[in-house]
Each structure stands twice: as structure tokens, then as C-alpha cells.
Amino acid sequence: MNVIFPPTSRYALTPTATFVRADGTPLVYLRRRFVPPPEDLALLQWHRVVQGERLDNIAAKYLGDPEQFWRLCDANRALRPAEMTGTIGRELRITLPEGIPGVPHA
């Protein structure tokens, strides 16, 4: 059995592995997902956090999908999403997904 995630999931490209139990039953699991270095993600723009913002709303505004908040976390080295909007004035990187190159700067 293969685990299938939608293409917008952070786990979509994460490979699976199989562990075979002592009784011969296979157990499929996800391998570790490595977060790309933020500097490898093409920067689209910056966003300055204002009072009362939520990360899902920021993701919806820039990425068109509130469930893509994890891309903002990856782009800003955030382990706890709530911390990203906790400081008013913090600048957040808005980037393209991993593997999609941006426009070279002249």
C-alpha cells in the first residue's frame, strides 16, 4: 500500500519505506522530510506582520491557499507556526516552492 498525499501537501514528495513485522505484515511509513534551506527558495517578496494577523490568512493572501502555511514556515525557518505572527513588524519571506527557480536578479 502506498501513502498518497495531495500535490499541495508538505509530504507529497516525501518517499515511503516499508518495515516488515515479525509476522510478515508490511508497515508502510514516511521517511524523514528534510526542510529545504530558506536561501535555496526563490524569494517572491517580503511581508511585514501587523496586529492580529494569522499565518493561514497570510498564506491565503500570497499563496492562494491557507493550508500552504507550512511553506511560509519552511521559508522562515519556523518550527512553531504561531511564533511567526507573534511579533508585530516581523518580516516574513514569501517564496516559491522548492525546486521552482525564481527570476534571476540583474
Side-chain angles (χ1 to χ4, degrees), residues 1-83:
M1 175 177 104
N2 286 333
V3 178
I4 299 174
F5 292 93
T8 56
S9 169
R10 75 181 86 189
Y11 302 111
L13 300 176
T14 304
T16 61
T18 303
F19 173 79
V20 180
R21 296 180 178 172
D23 67 359
T25 306
L27 178 65
V28 178
Y29 64 95
L30 283 176
R31 291 189 175 268
R32 182 175 175 192
R33 175 183 176 262
F34 291 96
V35 178
E39 54 275 3
D40 289 354
L41 302 173
L43 180 67
L44 290 173
Q45 67 187 80
W46 292 92
H47 172 80
R48 188 177 307 272
V49 174
V50 297
Q51 181 73 35
E53 277 193 301
R54 294 190 344 226
L55 199 55
D56 60 334
N57 291 336
I58 297 169
K61 176 180 179 178
Y62 293 104
L63 307 176
D65 182 352
E67 292 183 359
Q68 294 293 298
F69 72 91
W70 61 269
R71 285 183 38 203
L72 300 174
C73 293
D74 285 359
N76 292 278
R77 280 198 173 96
L79 296 178
R80 294 174 189 85
E83 291 177 359

